[in-house]
Amino acid sequence: MLDNFSNSTPAVIDRLAQIIGRPVRWHEGDIRDAAALDKIFAELSVSAVLHFAGLKAVTESIDRPIDYFDVNVHGSIALMKAMQRAGCKTLVFSSSATVYGPEQPMPVGEGAPCSVSNPYGRTKLVVEDLLYELGRADPEWRIATLRYFNPTGAHPSGLIGESPIGTPSNLMPLVCQVAAGLRPCVQIFGDDYPSPDGTGVRDFVHVMDLAEGHVAALDYLTRNQANILVNLGTGQGTSVLEVIRTFERVNGQRVPFEVVARRAADIGISYADASLAWELLGWAAKRGIDDMCRDAWRWQCANRA
Ligand SMILES: NC(=O)c1ccc[n+]([C@@H]2O[C@H](COP(=O)([O-])OP(=O)(O)OC[C@H]3O[C@@H](n4cnc5c(N)ncnc54)[C@H](O)[C@@H]3O)[C@@H](O)[C@H]2O)c1
């Protein structure tokens, strides 16, 4: 494992080891550091790379486009070059449903047109394009580009989960912080979308399902010399208000909220056509919103400090 700990901490390593029941080999370093990458590839026999490293906050990316392109695009290129030097040509890449443009018919499939309205989304699209071309130029590469919808929840042990610095940009950490009394209320951006309760709809997918999706993708690449691009979502939309109500029901906690104006760039309704993941990878999400709310709250309670 390689991480520069810009958005995590080495304390996570012991927790990972507890979960998997054996030590985790890890290096502190940056994916943009070619020498550090070469050293790792020389020391370990790496057959495949799961590439999660990146910056991921849409709003922040608007203020810091250079940093986002540097880490997400330059970092991915540095990683691919190092893989090429080491002769390791199997890669699973974390992309995002944010690459789908607004006003798509839902559920949205992989063939839908892409259009991005912020630097973060653009970095994902640039890397996707590069991976497509790389697979065409050198068919020895085995690549799975996974477009995550809305990763939510935590490991059921309560040992690892999301711990955002500053105001959370994702819904569930915000709901948890409000339930824990750390923030006064959840702001719901708009209640006039064409959904049953008017609030925005997203395809929330449990992080454990996502993890299993990566294992399925890796397994597929082991068996197939291919370059695939696949949605990872449940195929079900859930509204922001439904998430809050479900959280209150399963955890017995009150979550005050207020409705405020829509945000300019927000898409009202977004959920995946998840059929290709099932066809190619035999993967479908197994966990629901109840599980996501329960596991996120367990993580929040265990990590209040
Ligand atoms: N969480 C989401 O809502 C979401 C949705 C779609 C796609 N993604 C993508 O999935 C991936 C993982 O997301 P996450 O939510 O787990 O984010 P995260 O911030 O928890 O994980 C990213 C990890 O990469 C590390 N990192 C960042 N820059 C690095 C660098 N230059 N070198 C080495 N390590 C570096 C961070 O310290 C962190 O541990 C990201 O690429 C993100 O864009 C996330």
Side-chain angles (χ1 to χ4, degrees), residues 3-4 6-8 30-31 52-53 56 94-95 120 124 148 151:
D3 201 307
N4 68 355
S6 57
N7 197 32
S8 55
D30 197 296
I31 49 164
F52 301 99
K56 59 165 188 176
S94 307
S95 190
Y120 168 69
K124 291 292 175 189
Y148 308 169

Side-chain angles (χ1 to χ4, degrees), residues 223-276:
R223 289 179 285 107
N224 299 277
Q225 194 156 318
N227 187 352
I228 57 171
L229 187 156
V230 182
N231 282 344
L232 289 187
T234 63
Q236 306 268 328
T238 305
S239 77
V240 172
L241 198 53
E242 276 178 276
V243 171
I244 292 175
R245 294 298 183 218
T246 306
F247 187 98
E248 291 186 320
R249 175 173 54 75
V250 303
N251 294 319
Q253 298 293 321
R254 244 175 50 76
V255 180
F257 65 86
E258 62 174 351
V259 176
V260 297
R262 288 181 182 197
R263 286 182 301 193
D266 274 354
I267 294 174
I269 298 181
S270 165
Y271 57 97
D273 176 344
S275 55
L276 186 63

Side-chain angles (χ1 to χ4, degrees), residues 162-287:
E162 201 175 351
S163 190
I165 299 162
T167 307
S169 50
N170 288 340
L171 177 63
M172 191 63 83
L174 188 59
V175 168
C176 285
Q177 291 189 5
V178 169
L182 302 173
R183 293 180 188 277
C185 73
V186 175
Q187 287 195 323
I188 298 181
F189 298 104
D191 64 353
D192 54 353
Y193 287 109
S195 69
D197 59 34
T199 64
V201 167
R202 291 289 179 275
D203 187 335
F204 298 97
V205 54
H206 198 296
V207 288
M208 294 303 294
D209 280 319
L210 273 191
E212 289 168 11
H214 287 71
V215 175
L218 209 46
D219 185 49
Y220 179 87
L221 294 182
T222 309
R223 289 179 285 107
N224 299 277
Q225 194 156 318
N227 187 352
I228 57 171
L229 187 156
V230 182
N231 282 344
L232 289 187
T234 63
Q236 306 268 328
T238 305
S239 77
V240 172
L241 198 53
E242 276 178 276
V243 171
I244 292 175
R245 294 298 183 218
T246 306
F247 187 98
E248 291 186 320
R249 175 173 54 75
V250 303
N251 294 319
Q253 298 293 321
R254 244 175 50 76
V255 180
F257 65 86
E258 62 174 351
V259 176
V260 297
R262 288 181 182 197
R263 286 182 301 193
D266 274 354
I267 294 174
I269 298 181
S270 165
Y271 57 97
D273 176 344
S275 55
L276 186 63
W278 177 247
E279 270 168 45
L280 284 184
L281 311 179
W283 176 88
K286 297 184 200 124
R287 298 159 182 89

Side-chain angles (χ1 to χ4, degrees), residues 11-298:
V12 169
I13 311 284
D14 285 343
R15 292 169 170 225
L16 285 174
Q18 267 187 66
I19 289 170
I20 65 172
R22 60 187 151 82
V24 175
R25 296 184 74 166
W26 63 282
H27 298 260
E28 181 166 358
D30 197 296
I31 49 164
R32 292 164 293 179
D33 181 346
L37 293 176
D38 285 346
K39 192 160 176 280
I40 293 170
F41 280 110
E43 275 173 18
L44 304 173
S45 146
V46 181
S47 52
V49 174
L50 300 173
H51 172 25
F52 301 99
L55 302 178
K56 59 165 188 176
V58 168
T59 317
E60 183 184 64
S61 77
I62 295 167
D63 297 328
R64 294 173 48 197
I66 294 178
D67 292 339
Y68 272 69
F69 274 76
D70 190 31
V71 175
N72 294 3
V73 178
H74 168 203
S76 297
I77 292 172
L79 174 62
M80 284 175 232
K81 282 180 159 179
M83 289 177 68
Q84 209 153 28
R85 285 193 294 275
C88 170
K89 294 185 175 179
T90 301
L91 175 67
V92 179
F93 172 61
S94 307
S95 190
S96 166
T98 195
V99 299
Y100 294 119
E103 327 241 326
Q104 300 285 350
M106 293 293 152
V108 63
E110 292 82 354
C114 292
S115 112
V116 285
S117 56
N118 57 73
Y120 168 69
R122 201 167 297 282
T123 64
K124 291 292 175 189
L125 209 47
V126 168
V127 177
E128 282 198 2
D129 287 347
L130 171 55
L131 290 173
Y132 173 76
E133 297 299 344
L134 181 60
R136 266 206 334 189
D138 179 356
E140 279 184 10
W141 276 85
R142 297 167 187 239
I143 300 167
T145 298
L146 305 178
R147 286 183 178 159
Y148 308 169
F149 276 66
N150 293 76
T152 304
H155 190 272
S157 63
L159 285 169
I160 52 172
E162 201 175 351
S163 190
I165 299 162
T167 307
S169 50
N170 288 340
L171 177 63
M172 191 63 83
L174 188 59
V175 168
C176 285
Q177 291 189 5
V178 169
L182 302 173
R183 293 180 188 277
C185 73
V186 175
Q187 287 195 323
I188 298 181
F189 298 104
D191 64 353
D192 54 353
Y193 287 109
S195 69
D197 59 34
T199 64
V201 167
R202 291 289 179 275
D203 187 335
F204 298 97
V205 54
H206 198 296
V207 288
M208 294 303 294
D209 280 319
L210 273 191
E212 289 168 11
H214 287 71
V215 175
L218 209 46
D219 185 49
Y220 179 87
L221 294 182
T222 309
R223 289 179 285 107
N224 299 277
Q225 194 156 318
N227 187 352
I228 57 171
L229 187 156
V230 182
N231 282 344
L232 289 187
T234 63
Q236 306 268 328
T238 305
S239 77
V240 172
L241 198 53
E242 276 178 276
V243 171
I244 292 175
R245 294 298 183 218
T246 306
F247 187 98
E248 291 186 320
R249 175 173 54 75
V250 303
N251 294 319
Q253 298 293 321
R254 244 175 50 76
V255 180
F257 65 86
E258 62 174 351
V259 176
V260 297
R262 288 181 182 197
R263 286 182 301 193
D266 274 354
I267 294 174
I269 298 181
S270 165
Y271 57 97
D273 176 344
S275 55
L276 186 63
W278 177 247
E279 270 168 45
L280 284 184
L281 311 179
W283 176 88
K286 297 184 200 124
R287 298 159 182 89
I289 288 290
D290 284 28
D291 303 301
M292 296 178 222
C293 290
R294 210 176 283 120
D295 291 339
W297 182 235
R298 186 180 301 112

